[in-house]
Amino acid sequence: MKKVLLSIVVAASLLTGCQDENSREDVNLTQEQVIDMSDFYVQTEEIASRGDAASKCQSMKVLNRQLNENPGLYKKMYDLEYNTRKFIAGKKGGNGNGGGNNGGGDGGGGTPPVDDGLGVINIPVYVHVVYSNSNENISDAQISSQMRVLNDDFRMQNSDASNTPAEFAGVAADSEITFTLANTFRYSNSRTSWGTNDAVKSAYPPVSPSTHLNIWVCNIGGGILGYAQFPGGNLSTDGVVCAPQYFGTTGFVQAPFNKGRTMTHEVGHYLNLRHIWGDGRCRQDDFVSDTPSSDGPNYGCPSYPTVNCRSNDMTMNYMDYTDDACMSLFSQGQKERMRATFQSGGGRASILN
């Protein structure tokens, strides 16, 4: 009997120890702010079967491949998401649940913005131009035009604000993120298309990827505009790839994606934003509460309102698939997610170090 009692006491002590350890993990959070990760997902199943949706941005398909190749990536992305939600919850007093599209939690947006103490963040950029012909060897002027678009879009200084209806104007955000071109590298290569298996990055590795955004401008093929790597992936493949005809606003550019928004969209992924429809229809979201739920991407220049999942779609959001001329905003919640990646424990914190 004494042995049984002793076993119970030991078990209780171990349980208490585990509970204390969990409490220490959230030492800065109140009981109401325990981080809810129940809606977290990484792998998606529908992107490969979406036809046109799969040809515009391949970031989720590339992520699926990377998850299959690297068994530890899921845990790393889970931890980064936890830190993102914890930071936002600690600032706002919410529970950090990203399920805001369905009215669930406070994953960003829905309450007044809170100063995160970082000020305006600048990201230095390396551009790798990989070309097989003179068109693909884009000019310095075309590169400069893309840098202007990134700065205008991320600082909410673009000329397309009129596309934003009154319903969403109140959540349009200046992300307070800027970009500076650090250097341009040019490589002549007879290869005419590079695909999405990171072959271009293997041929021309990123430079200082922990502190710089690396961009490869090359012909991807298959009608693909671009793809990005989310925070948490291997540094040897970190960065964004974009087709030359969808990069910038002048020179070798092709309508209707000739206003530089492919890069705005892909850099959003690089800074931990998902597509606004969550790549899972109405049942799955983007972990941002002020971007309404949607059942899939929008194309062209949709009329307002476009209704899905019993709410109006934010079709003018940079993380949708509409034409460049019809995009105009990141939301306040998206701003908070992007900036959380630069906090201690965030996937892009090393850029500020």
Side-chain angles (χ1 to χ4, degrees):
M1 182 66 177
K2 289 182 178 179
K3 290 182 178 180
V4 173
L5 290 173
L6 180 60
S7 298
I8 294 173
V9 170
V10 170
S13 299
L14 291 173
L15 179 59
T16 302
C18 291
Q19 290 173 336
D20 289 345
E21 184 176 350
N22 290 335
S23 297
R24 286 194 296 272
E25 186 178 14
D26 290 325
V27 66
N28 294 321
L29 301 176
T30 67
Q31 186 174 359
E32 290 75 20
Q33 293 171 321
V34 174
I35 305 304
D36 179 5
M37 295 290 289
S38 61
D39 66 333
F40 179 71
Y41 72 95
V42 181
Q43 195 92 17
T44 56
E45 298 178 355
E46 297 184 23
I47 187 69
S49 63
R50 285 189 176 274
D52 289 341
S55 67
K56 187 176 192 301
C57 165
Q58 292 259 307
S59 294
M60 295 307 295
K61 185 175 181 180
V62 170
L63 177 58
N64 286 347
R65 172 179 58 78
Q66 292 176 336
L67 287 162
N68 291 331
E69 294 171 351
N70 180 2
L73 180 57
Y74 177 90
K75 176 61 164 59
K76 191 169 184 180
M77 293 187 71
Y78 181 98
D79 291 343
L80 290 172
E81 181 65 24
Y82 179 92
N83 285 335
T84 294
R85 298 184 185 196
K86 182 177 179 180
F87 173 76
I88 293 173
K91 286 289 185 182
K92 288 189 164 188
N95 69 359
N97 186 338
N101 279 353
N102 300 315
D106 193 12
T111 59
V114 178
D115 182 11
D116 57 19
L118 295 178
V120 176
I121 297 167
N122 183 68
I123 301 176
V125 178
Y126 287 130
V127 174
H128 307 258
V129 179
V130 183
Y131 61 94
S132 63
N133 58 56
S134 59
N135 282 334
E136 294 173 0
N137 187 19
I138 61 173
S139 67
D140 289 344
Q142 186 168 341
I143 295 171
S144 295
S145 73
Q146 180 62 76
M147 297 301 296
R148 284 194 297 272
V149 171
L150 287 173
N151 282 302
D152 286 348
D153 287 351
F154 279 80
R155 291 307 312 269
M156 204 171 72
Q157 295 177 352
N158 61 72
S159 60
D160 298 308
S162 59
N163 294 330
T164 305
E167 177 184 4
F168 300 128
V171 299
D174 170 5
S175 72
E176 298 181 274
I177 297 172
T178 62
F179 303 83
T180 301
L181 181 63
N183 206 350
T184 300
F185 307 95
R186 296 181 180 275
Y187 310 100
S188 176
N189 193 303
S190 61
R191 183 165 177 167
T192 57
S193 64
W194 290 90
T196 60
N197 64 350
D198 292 326
V200 69
K201 302 175 186 178
S202 297
Y204 308 104
V207 178
S208 304
S210 62
T211 57
H212 290 65
L213 164 60
N214 281 255
I215 299 170
W216 291 263
V217 183
C218 65
N219 184 42
I220 303 171
I224 298 167
L225 277 63
Y227 68 95
Q229 180 167 296
F230 285 87
N234 194 314
L235 281 178
S236 67
T237 55
D238 199 19
V240 176
V241 181
C242 185
Q245 63 268 42
Y246 310 121
F247 189 85
T249 63
T250 188
F252 181 55
V253 292
Q254 180 178 318
F257 307 114
N258 57 344
K259 297 196 72 174
R261 267 55 191 272
T262 295
M263 278 303 306
T264 301
H265 177 104
E266 299 302 343
V267 173
H269 286 315
Y270 172 83
L271 296 176
N272 207 28
L273 295 185
R274 306 294 180 95
H275 293 131
I276 61 167
W277 67 93
D279 293 277
R281 310 188 80 85
C282 298
R283 68 179 181 273
Q284 198 160 275
D285 76 42
D286 62 351
F287 309 144
V288 178
S289 63
D290 60 8
T291 57
S293 183
S294 180
D295 71 344
N298 292 284
Y299 298 96
C301 286
S303 60
Y304 173 83
T306 297
V307 181
N308 281 297
C309 307
R310 294 178 294 182
S311 62
N312 295 335
D313 278 4
M314 191 182 282
T315 61
M316 67 297 307
N317 193 286
Y318 295 126
M319 302 313 294
D320 205 340
Y321 276 178
T322 53
D323 292 349
D324 281 14
C326 300
M327 292 181 164
S328 61
L329 69 88
F330 287 119
S331 73
Q332 181 64 42
Q334 288 173 319
K335 170 184 177 177
E336 290 160 357
R337 278 189 66 82
M338 289 190 285
R339 293 181 65 85
T341 66
F342 296 97
Q343 294 288 340
S344 178
R348 301 300 178 194
S350 59
I351 288 178
L352 300 187
N353 297 332

